[in-house]
Amino acid sequence: MNKEVRVRFAPSPTGYFHVGGARTALFDWLYARHNNGKFILRIEDTDRTRYNPAAIPDLLDALRWLGLFWDEGPEVGGKYGPYYQSDRLHFYRQYAQQLVDSGHAYRCYCSAERLTALRDEQRAAKLSPGYDRHCRCLTQKQVQDYEAQGIQPVIRLAVPLEGITVVEDLLRGRIEFDNRQLDDLVLLKSDGFPTYHLGVVVDDHLMEITHITRGEEWLSSMPKHVLLYQALGWEMPVTAHLPTILDPSGHGKLSKRKKQSADGSEHLTYVHEFREAGYLPEAMFNFLAMVGWSLDDKTEFMEREDFIRHFSLEEVSRSAAAFSYDKLDHMNAAYIRSLGYNDLAGRLQRTMLAAGVKTDFATMLALVPLVRERLETLEDITSLVDFVFQEIDYPAALLIQDKTDKLQTLAILESAAVALRTSGFDETELEQTLRPEVERLGLKARQYFGCLRVACTGRTVSPPLMGLMSVMGRDTILKRIQVAHSKLEAS
Ligand code: GLU
């Protein structure tokens, strides 16, 4: 029987969760789901200099928002826990000691000053920097002296001095590394915390991980990991180093910092920013799953279930993929249009509340047919309809339309005020009431409704006016027309 597929996502909590990390997590999740396996979340928090606890809730929220629920990990548990590396220090110490005992690792007592001086010397001599293995063959006596001085050693891997280390990667194929180019890397630091390399190898083994995906920037660490697996006598999981995500121009790596695009707007890079900017998680999921993977050369929209059915790591693209914000916007707008009215109304209501505009569900639901075609993101709703819920202000002159004057404009407002007092208020009834008024005053529809639009919304451009008036209701509309009239008279 085949082994259960166990895929882990192992982020380091150093800052906000980046979309590149989300793409990796998504591929992990899809691969696990495709194989009826387990998706495991492990927090790699052993680099205490870069550790940022606020990154953890941000990460967990982002994964949940994308629907990437984990089977084992923080707040879920599992039999391979704990899932925070800082709670697993005893394991790393145990295996570091085992490596020392078997002669694969050694204690190094070199001070930071010595290492800095060594690096400076190497730089001056134009040699590549690296540890000179000073402590690799210490005598018993030297060790005793260092210990007597109370120096806390680190533990380093004794990398073979010659030969090659072979890395087999699912996407990159077979790569050979010359052992002479490898440094005796630190495994356990003097504070008792492991380095990334020791932590990741020990945990992937103990958690019985079968498949590892990560960004290709980690490929150069692979020979170190292979040597560790060999030294510990463990079987290597399958690895797939994912291609880099490029910025929209396709030239540079998608940055972790904000980048200005050509039109001066800022590109979003963190998952929470996309969420706050009104992207739907289902659009983000669909989009990210296709950064570096595709079903064929034409399919753009896929359901989550279809991704699960078709996804395979073997078919992940070998070349870097650009992150197209335009494609994401287009996809998001399509997902918004595909939502049921109630679902969309609920999301829009929450978006407006978050923007500080008080709304109610029934009004949002009534507005949905008027706005859904105009939304690229949920966030667009606020500027589109905030006047429905808030007082409006505008200069009186805005009421006066092209080729009309103040008197005609006052007449429009008076005619509407009278006609709307008794009119039915659905869109068709409003249309039937007001069209004859336009003719009666000898005006163009553009002039009459242009004035009315400003009176009701405070703007010259808005979603369909009759629809809005119907949603806003007779009292509000009559009041706004009254205010417009007084404003204009006083001007
Ligand atoms: N903790 C590493 C990171 O922050 C994960 C690398 C890996 O997946 O092995 O990205």
Side-chain angles (χ1 to χ4, degrees):
M1 215 179 81
N2 283 340
K3 265 205 297 193
E4 178 186 54
V5 167
R6 293 177 54 81
V7 194
R8 90 317 191 258
F9 179 56
S12 300
T14 55
Y16 287 124
F17 188 41
H18 188 254
V19 276
R23 197 270 307 251
T24 305
L26 200 150
F27 280 10
D28 287 334
W29 184 89
L30 279 176
Y31 194 69
R33 290 290 169 267
H34 175 81
N35 289 291
N36 274 322
K38 294 280 188 301
F39 173 56
I40 295 125
L41 178 62
R42 181 175 73 229
I43 307 295
E44 301 207 325
D45 57 351
T46 59
D47 183 346
R48 303 316 274 182
T49 55
R50 298 175 61 227
Y51 174 64
N52 176 357
I56 296 169
D58 176 68
L59 164 82
L60 302 186
D61 285 351
L63 290 176
R64 286 185 175 126
W65 179 67
L66 286 167
L68 305 179
F69 298 101
W70 49 101
D71 305 303
E72 296 172 25
E75 298 178 7
V76 169
K79 67 174 174 152
Y80 297 83
Y83 293 90
Y84 283 83
Q85 286 193 322
S86 59
D87 289 332
R88 302 172 59 82
L89 299 182
H90 53 289
F91 288 123
Y92 315 124
R93 290 179 192 151
Q94 175 192 334
Y95 288 104
Q97 183 59 46
Q98 182 178 317
L99 287 165
V100 172
D101 295 343
S102 64
H104 289 99
Y106 59 92
R107 292 201 162 72
C108 167
Y109 298 88
C110 290
S111 63
E113 294 74 36
R114 176 172 188 278
L115 295 176
T116 311
L118 177 64
R119 219 169 305 127
D120 292 346
E121 265 171 47
Q122 288 166 331
R123 202 169 303 134
K126 300 212 167 7
L127 296 169
S128 49
Y131 180 56
D132 62 358
R133 303 187 161 118
H134 175 268
C135 293
R136 186 154 163 166
C137 301
L138 295 179
T139 62
Q140 198 65 30
K141 166 88 179 66
Q142 285 172 304
V143 172
Q144 277 166 4
D145 284 352
Y146 283 129
E147 297 277 342
Q149 289 170 44
I151 301 175
Q152 278 296 325
V154 301
I155 292 181
R156 288 182 183 271
L157 184 68
V159 169
L161 301 175
E162 46 200 32
I164 54 159
T165 297
V166 177
V167 166
E168 292 278 359
D169 186 73
L170 193 64
L171 300 177
R172 310 282 144 187
R174 179 189 158 97
I175 310 172
E176 295 186 355
F177 289 83
D178 184 343
N179 290 341
R180 283 172 302 184
Q181 305 296 324
L182 302 176
D183 211 8
D184 279 2
L185 57 132
V186 174
L187 300 175
L188 200 67
K189 294 176 270 188
S190 52
D191 60 2
F193 277 72
T195 55
Y196 157 68
H197 306 292
L198 180 65
V200 83
V201 167
V202 167
D203 285 344
D204 284 338
H205 173 74
L206 293 182
M207 296 182 178
E208 296 187 31
I209 300 304
T210 57
H211 294 76
I212 295 174
T213 77
R214 58 184 156 223
E216 67 183 348
E217 66 276 17
W218 295 104
L219 196 58
S220 58
S221 298
M222 276 297 286
K224 303 171 191 171
H225 300 184
V226 170
L227 288 170
L228 271 171
Y229 276 98
Q230 288 170 352
L232 289 159
W234 293 341
E235 191 190 333
M236 275 291 293
V238 175
T239 65
H241 285 80
L242 305 177
T244 310
I245 304 182
L246 300 176
D247 70 14
S249 73
H251 295 315
K253 210 174 144 179
L254 188 69
S255 148
K256 289 220 174 179
R257 262 155 290 124
K258 293 244 174 304
K259 268 229 179 113
Q260 295 256 315
S261 61
D263 65 5
S265 62
E266 276 186 344
H267 280 329
L268 310 178
T269 47
Y270 299 115
V271 176
H272 77 93
E273 293 177 322
F274 288 91
R275 177 184 191 164
E276 283 156 18
Y279 289 89
L280 301 190
E282 41 278 69
M284 204 69 203
F285 182 102
N286 190 151
F287 173 78
L288 281 177
M290 289 189 165
V291 179
W293 181 86
S294 57
L295 180 63
D296 49 38
D297 52 13
K298 51 182 191 302
T299 310
E300 264 200 339
F301 292 90
M302 276 171 71
E303 302 276 335
R304 198 171 276 249
E305 287 311 311
D306 293 326
F307 277 112
I308 294 176
R309 184 163 328 121
H310 295 291
F311 183 80
S312 84
L313 273 179
E314 291 78 3
E315 281 161 25
V316 167
S317 151
R318 271 67 175 159
S319 47
F323 192 100
S324 164
Y325 288 87
D326 290 342
K327 184 170 163 197
L328 173 60
D329 286 347
H330 156 77
M331 209 169 240
N332 202 55
Y335 268 93
I336 286 179
R337 286 196 299 273
S338 74
L339 290 179
Y341 282 18
N342 280 279
D343 189 353
L344 181 54
R347 300 197 208 202
L348 293 175
Q349 186 189 7
R350 275 199 302 282
T351 306
M352 295 205 60
L353 286 173
V357 184
K358 251 185 114 209
T359 62
D360 63 281
F361 182 77
T363 309
M364 289 318 292
L365 188 59
L367 284 171
V368 160
L370 306 176
V371 297
R372 63 199 280 269
E373 298 288 333
R374 296 164 186 249
L375 299 172
E376 220 165 47
T377 70
L378 296 176
E379 189 45 50
D380 292 340
I381 189 65
T382 312
S383 58
L384 213 51
V385 299
D386 56 358
F387 58 81
V388 174
F389 306 94
Q390 293 173 339
E391 292 301 317
I392 54 174
D393 195 21
Y394 53 90
L398 209 59
L399 290 161
I400 303 175
Q401 303 298 297
D402 196 25
K403 302 209 176 79
T404 56
D405 57 21
K406 181 169 164 177
L407 276 181
Q408 285 169 304
T409 307
L410 288 170
I412 296 173
L413 294 168
E414 284 153 21
S415 106
V418 174
L420 293 174
R421 212 166 292 149
T422 52
S423 165
F425 240 74
D426 72 24
E427 276 185 68
T428 332
E429 290 165 332
L430 287 169
E431 197 63 62
Q432 282 165 356
T433 306
L434 295 174
R435 287 280 161 193
E437 292 297 308
V438 180
E439 270 170 43
R440 197 174 59 77
L441 297 183
L443 292 169
K444 299 224 164 60
R446 182 167 47 77
Q447 295 167 320
Y448 190 94
F449 293 116
C451 163
L452 216 49
R453 185 187 307 280
V454 174
C456 298
T457 69
R459 328 190 163 164
T460 53
V461 183
S462 76
L465 182 61
M466 305 297 165
L468 284 174
M469 290 169 69
S470 172
V471 173
M472 290 161 78
R474 190 192 317 273
D475 289 352
T476 308
I477 294 301
L478 287 180
K479 204 169 123 226
R480 289 199 179 175
I481 291 173
Q482 171 60 49
V483 170
H485 193 273
S486 319
K487 197 193 245 298
L488 188 60
E489 253 187 339
S491 71

